Amino acid sequence: MTNDIWAKVLKTLQGALGTNNFSNWIEPLEFAQLAGGVATFHVPTNFIGNYVSQNFGEEIIYHLNKEGESVSRLQFRVPTNAQVATKPKAAIKPTGSEDISGSPLDARFTFDTFVVGKPNELAHAAARRVAEGGPVTFNPLFLYGGVGLGKTHLMHAIAHELKERSPELNVLYLSAEQFMYRFITALRERKMMDFKQLFRSVDVLMVDDVQFIGGKDSTQEEFFHTFNALVDGRKQIIISADRAPGEIKDLEERIKSRLQCGLVVDLHPTDYELRLGILQSKVEVYSAQYPDLQISQGVLEFLAHRISTNVRVLEGALTRLFAFASLVGREITLELTQDCLSDVLKASDRKVTVEEIQRKVSEHYNIRLSDMIGPKRVRNYARPRQIAMYLAKQMTSRSLPEIGRRFGGRDHTTVMHGVKRIEELKALDSQIADDLELLRRALQE
Ligand code: ADP
Ligand code: MG
């Protein structure tokens, strides 16, 4: 990308974000480079980088792509003196003293800063176990869950811990996107032998967001071989994805089944207690940064109740709140919170309708909407119908008779029966439990 294009995007951003936001947050950015779909910017402080990433990241990516640049991710770095003076070179920075470089590890993503609650306790326990090193008991460890639920955080925590306990181990962490980028580079530069050698010589391989390689056939193929070679050599592999192995689109069957061979654990959507716990632990960090600002328990509870999408959004809200209060020099009250976060709160407020549920469920089971609502009682239609009724009861505030009316005028006892049936099946049939989870997530997006 040329500086001209960035200058153009800057102009657009100034219009889109307003002069204040622009001069506070965007002007301090200095474009450094674009490689492998990742645009890197130099920032004066990490705080600015985080803030921009959380609040304006998507907008920046959108405008860059609109100008014809293919950018999928932004990266912010506080340059060292050397980097300011000369042009930055490698896109991939070494993560430690070892000779293999992966994606950079975030120093804040440790076990110490990971708040454990019911929704993530299993994933956390499994991650801890792997981080202890020792003989490989399950391979791979496959962590999955919706965005912003802590997959990357846990993986970085494992890497930090392993490096600390056993500095001699070669721990390689990288995103699936990086894996592909490096694979393609090796192909282009005719360095496949080096590539294979490199990946087969690690002791622990961690690949984040593996769903990314779905549909990318030659990358999948190479990933499969790397994977097998490492498993055969009894090396630990840790994988994350936004969904279960079987649900990843356009992923070869043999890879799916390989990924299921170890321990598959999911991070469930957060609950209120976990969100409050996370907010409390983040506040401690902010209190050090903004010694003059206080935030009451009431405001935290309000946020934990109202922002239930994911932890990233929750954190972003808190960052923004502190930054805003500090900029305008006001106390963090409930009113200020509502003012400052009105857009986030509105987005989290999104109510799911019975009609949306019916549409999603019929798409999921590949039946027609009319058959779901219609009178047919064959199992193929009846089961999805009951699932939709169950979700309608759970996710909307509609009463049983109201739900019945929306399902072709059925009686409320029919709805009640359907809801009960799914409750029973959920405990017995893991496929149904998974389907419900998947649908619920899709509906909440
Ligand atoms: P994912 O990779 O699942 O999309 P991340 O690991 O990037 O999510 O998490 C998003 C943000 O939320 C990160 O800043 C992370 O530190 C934070 N986060 C997620 N879960 C927790 C948790 N249990 N405790 C503390 N912070 C968390
Ligand atoms: Mg992640």
Side-chain angles (χ1 to χ4, degrees):
M1 171 164 80
T2 61
N3 279 319
D4 280 3
I5 292 202
W6 176 234
K8 233 173 163 179
V9 172
L10 278 176
K11 262 227 170 81
T12 321
L13 286 171
Q14 183 162 20
L17 304 176
T19 319
N20 264 344
N21 274 332
F22 183 80
S23 59
N24 281 332
W25 306 108
I26 307 296
E27 242 170 14
L29 307 181
E30 191 190 320
F31 170 67
Q33 67 163 356
L34 174 64
V38 181
T40 305
F41 293 89
H42 287 162
V43 282
T45 64
N46 276 327
F47 177 70
I48 293 189
N50 289 337
Y51 189 87
V52 171
S53 156
Q54 277 168 346
N55 293 287
F56 312 119
E58 275 167 23
E59 186 130 9
I60 297 176
I61 292 178
Y62 170 78
H63 288 298
L64 286 172
N65 281 285
K66 224 171 140 194
E67 290 300 331
E69 297 295 339
S70 156
V71 177
S72 57
R73 201 154 60 78
L74 304 180
Q75 183 163 278
F76 298 93
R77 297 231 173 290
V78 179
T80 59
N81 290 338
Q83 274 177 324
V84 181
T86 61
K87 256 184 92 185
K89 285 185 217 95
I92 307 147
K93 282 177 104 186
T95 56
S97 54
E98 81 281 21
D99 51 0
I100 302 182
S101 56
S103 306
L105 294 177
D106 192 318
R108 292 164 309 172
F109 291 179
T110 62
F111 282 119
D112 282 346
T113 57
F114 191 82
V115 181
V116 185
K118 247 203 150 29
N120 60 24
E121 62 180 342
L122 208 59
H124 171 259
R128 280 268 192 197
R129 168 63 63 79
V130 169
E132 283 168 10
V136 175
T137 43
F138 35 78
N139 217 1
L141 168 61
F142 189 99
L143 298 169
Y144 77 93
V147 301
L149 296 182
K151 301 180 294 294
T152 298
H153 189 135
L154 275 181
M155 288 183 103
H156 287 206
I158 296 173
H160 287 307
E161 180 96 4
L162 280 170
K163 280 164 189 257
E164 196 169 304
R165 281 174 187 253
S166 326
E168 74 286 357
L169 284 183
N170 255 330
V171 179
L172 180 59
Y173 164 87
L174 77 178
S175 62
E177 192 184 353
Q178 271 282 339
F179 180 87
M180 181 182 90
Y181 175 64
R182 298 180 68 164
F183 169 63
I184 291 171
T185 308
L187 278 179
R188 199 178 50 218
E189 296 176 356
R190 298 178 196 282
K191 289 193 177 144
M192 270 317 286
M193 285 306 285
D194 292 354
F195 178 91
K196 284 183 194 289
Q197 172 88 34
L198 183 97
F199 276 93
R200 283 158 182 63
S201 69
V202 301
D203 297 305
V204 179
L205 175 67
M206 314 173 94
V207 182
D208 205 352
D209 288 320
V210 82
Q211 75 277 355
F212 180 83
I213 65 168
K216 290 153 183 133
D217 293 345
S218 45
T219 302
Q220 273 187 41
E221 177 85 18
E222 189 52 38
F223 175 74
F224 184 66
H225 294 313
T226 306
F227 187 98
N228 288 339
L230 290 174
V231 170
D232 288 348
R234 310 199 129 262
K235 308 293 190 191
Q236 181 72 57
I237 298 176
I238 302 147
I239 306 280
S240 85
D242 65 355
R243 62 199 76 186
E247 302 286 340
I248 299 177
K249 282 207 185 70
D250 299 321
L251 192 66
E252 280 182 51
E253 281 308 320
R254 57 180 187 163
I255 301 183
K256 285 185 185 170
S257 66
R258 264 307 208 168
L259 290 175
Q260 279 157 340
C261 279
L263 181 66
V264 178
V265 275
D266 63 337
L267 290 131
H268 296 275
T270 56
D271 58 16
Y272 171 73
E273 286 81 10
L274 179 59
R275 290 195 294 274
L276 191 58
I278 291 172
L279 284 171
Q280 272 157 347
S281 84
K282 304 281 173 199
V283 161
E284 284 174 29
V285 178
Y286 284 116
S287 303
Q289 223 167 5
Y290 299 97
D292 301 337
L293 284 176
Q294 314 265 316
I295 188 163
S296 70
Q297 185 68 11
V299 170
L300 293 183
E301 284 168 9
F302 171 78
L303 292 175
H305 265 302
R306 292 288 302 275
I307 305 180
S308 57
T309 40
N310 73 51
V311 183
R312 197 171 292 135
V313 176
L314 198 62
E315 279 185 348
L318 204 60
T319 311
R320 199 153 122 192
L321 198 53
F322 273 95
F324 185 74
S326 136
L327 278 176
V328 297
R330 277 165 55 193
E331 248 181 275
I332 302 179
T333 58
L334 208 51
E335 289 76 62
L336 180 108
T337 307
Q338 277 163 331
D339 269 3
C340 163
L341 300 175
S342 59
D343 53 338
V344 181
L345 294 170
K346 209 149 78 206
S348 296
D349 243 8
R350 208 178 86 74
K351 295 267 185 299
V352 180
T353 65
V354 177
E355 288 70 23
E356 278 174 272
I357 294 174
Q358 291 171 331
R359 191 155 32 77
K360 263 275 176 326
V361 174
S362 50
E363 272 168 23
H364 182 83
Y365 290 103
N366 228 341
I367 64 173
R368 275 199 298 264
L369 192 58
S370 56
D371 286 328
M372 158 163 298
I373 297 165
K376 290 190 196 137
R377 293 171 71 164
V378 289
R379 180 90 170 271
N380 277 356
Y381 303 137
R383 190 68 84 227
R385 187 181 296 140
Q386 289 175 328
I387 288 196
M389 287 174 173
Y390 173 85
L391 288 170
K393 183 74 195 100
Q394 291 260 315
M395 298 183 75
T396 73
S397 51
R398 297 283 175 204
S399 65
L400 292 174
E402 282 174 326
I403 294 175
R405 268 202 293 284
R406 286 172 170 76
F407 280 84
R410 286 178 161 79
D411 194 68
H412 78 276
T413 52
T414 311
V415 181
M416 194 161 65
H417 170 75
V419 172
K420 275 221 180 93
R421 184 79 191 113
I422 297 304
E423 254 158 23
E424 290 161 11
L425 283 173
K426 200 174 94 169
L428 301 172
D429 184 337
S430 66
Q431 179 64 53
I432 292 210
D434 285 351
D435 283 358
L436 285 171
E437 189 54 41
L438 207 75
L439 284 163
R440 184 201 301 280
R441 269 194 209 145
L443 284 160
Q444 272 169 346
E445 265 166 16

